[in-house]
Amino acid sequence: MKKLVLLGGGYGNMRVLHRLLPNQLPEDVSITLIDRVPYHCLKTEYYALAAGTISDQEVRVPFPEHPRLEVKYGEVTNIDLENQLVHLDQEDPIPYDDLIIGLGCEDKYHNIPGAKEFTHSIQNIENARETYQTLNNLPANSVVSIVGGGLSGVELASELRESRSDLVIKLFDRGKIILSAFPERVSRYVQNWFQTNGVEVINQANITKVEEKTLYNHDEPVHSDVVVWTAGIQPNRIVQEMDVEKDAQGRVVLTKYHNIPDNEHVYVVGDCASLPYAPSAQLAEGQADQIVQVLLKRWSGQELPETLPTIKLKGVLGSLGKKQGFGLMADRAITGRIARILKSGILWMYKYHNG
């Protein structure tokens, strides 16, 4: 019996499971899924969990069930490529015949002193829960500084404004205008929303140091009762420690079939994979679809196609609280109520098909 091991129950490996189960998995293959928590987590909604506008249960989706699927809960400590073993904390190593690494990402602190020690995170469900507890327990008029004006920072700041109108919220962004990667129309819409709703946006920020209750912007101290870090990501520590070729962002370089060079049994999906797009749940799912196609052909001894099709991304949507939103769909900028309804609908469909 061949053993397929999936590391991480994120969007990529969740798609692998739903493509193989219940009917596509060959009779001579079993699957072991290893994750720290016993459910799939909707990472795209962690900002709302941290802000307190949705419950913990709303970001959890059960893993599928199947006689040849074993779900194992544990912390991965090392991947032994030579001996084809996955080492777990205080557990026996798990052997594999094929491995899909989908361990996700962690915060990148850019070597800023104190950033790791004195800021909060929303990069995993444990971090998001802790951040929620901290924000929820703040007294009125406390100052919350959010570092990073990308999608996560914008969604957290807007959701927190609706959840806690009594807080002073500051959003620090390196760009001249927020969401500078989006069309100017979208950036100005979001910047105006913050201005109208009392969120202070500090553009062209340069965070140089973080201390307890103090954030330094261009070396100038800014009092902050809580600092939340949303200013960049990097691959999971386990992937960082792997002795394989990586790109400038530390992501694993792959062949066109999504496996590491010279090892057709080890694939990388999601945030840890070096791809010509920004990491996203949508990208991880598209990549997972192709990995499943490759696996099925390799398992059955079929020849692989000369090339795989380009992964098509439909766009990106963001929320501004529960009533407004923004996004880019088929290269078309959209803002307002329609964008928010679209995002809510996509989330509902995902839960319906996976839950």
Side-chain angles (χ1 to χ4, degrees), residues 19-228:
R19 286 291 181 262
L20 289 174
L21 304 176
N23 302 317
Q24 287 275 78
L25 187 67
E27 291 292 332
D28 63 342
V29 178
S30 66
I31 303 176
T32 299
L33 169 66
I34 302 172
D35 200 290
R36 291 181 298 185
V37 294
Y39 36 75
H40 167 58
C41 297
L42 302 176
K43 186 177 181 179
T44 59
E45 304 306 301
Y46 284 171
Y47 71 93
L49 175 61
T53 55
I54 63 174
S55 70
D56 189 285
Q57 187 176 12
E58 291 178 76
V59 300
R60 304 197 309 251
V61 175
F63 292 127
E65 296 181 357
H66 189 273
R68 280 180 284 128
L69 169 64
E70 177 188 9
V71 180
K72 192 168 185 63
Y73 314 123
E75 185 81 28
V76 177
T77 59
N78 181 51
I79 301 170
D80 184 348
L81 297 176
E82 184 176 349
N83 296 302
Q84 296 187 219
L85 292 171
V86 175
H87 292 271
L88 304 178
D89 185 31
Q90 299 181 344
E91 299 274 354
D92 292 333
I94 306 294
Y96 67 83
D97 294 296
D98 292 288
L99 179 70
I100 303 179
I101 301 170
L103 291 172
C105 62
E106 57 188 49
D107 290 296
K108 186 173 183 177
Y109 297 103
H110 310 284
N111 297 316
I112 296 171
K116 183 175 182 179
E117 294 80 8
F118 298 109
T119 68
H120 292 266
S121 169
I122 58 170
Q123 278 306 323
N124 59 46
I125 193 165
E126 296 95 333
N127 293 154
R129 286 169 176 154
E130 182 184 345
T131 300
Y132 161 69
Q133 292 287 350
T134 301
L135 295 173
N136 187 57
N137 290 331
L138 285 173
N141 302 314
S142 296
V143 177
V144 176
S145 292
I146 299 170
V147 180
L151 190 60
S152 295
V154 164
E155 291 190 307
L156 176 60
S158 59
E159 203 81 6
L160 188 58
R161 166 50 69 229
E162 291 198 353
S163 174
R164 292 288 306 270
S165 60
D166 57 293
L167 296 176
V168 177
I169 302 172
K170 299 176 183 286
L171 180 59
F172 292 82
D173 179 43
R174 291 183 65 92
K176 292 182 179 179
I177 190 169
I178 208 159
L179 293 173
S180 55
F182 283 75
E184 185 177 352
R185 175 192 161 194
V186 173
S187 298
R188 293 202 177 281
Y189 176 82
V190 173
Q191 190 111 0
N192 289 338
W193 189 94
F194 282 133
Q195 186 174 357
T196 302
N197 288 275
V199 174
E200 183 183 359
V201 178
I202 297 93
N203 296 116
Q204 295 184 293
N206 181 24
I207 305 306
T208 52
K209 185 170 62 172
V210 186
E211 295 176 347
E212 188 172 3
K213 294 189 180 297
T214 306
L215 183 72
Y216 288 82
N217 181 32
H218 294 281
D219 293 323
E220 293 294 324
V222 179
H223 171 75
S224 305
D225 294 288
V226 173
V227 179
V228 184

Side-chain angles (χ1 to χ4, degrees), residues 7-8 10 43 101-106 123 233-239 269-273:
L7 301 187
K43 186 177 181 179
I101 301 170
L103 291 172
C105 62
E106 57 188 49
Q123 278 306 323
I233 59 172
Q234 60 185 347
N236 180 281
R237 178 186 61 82
I238 301 300
V239 172
V269 66
D271 297 341
C272 297

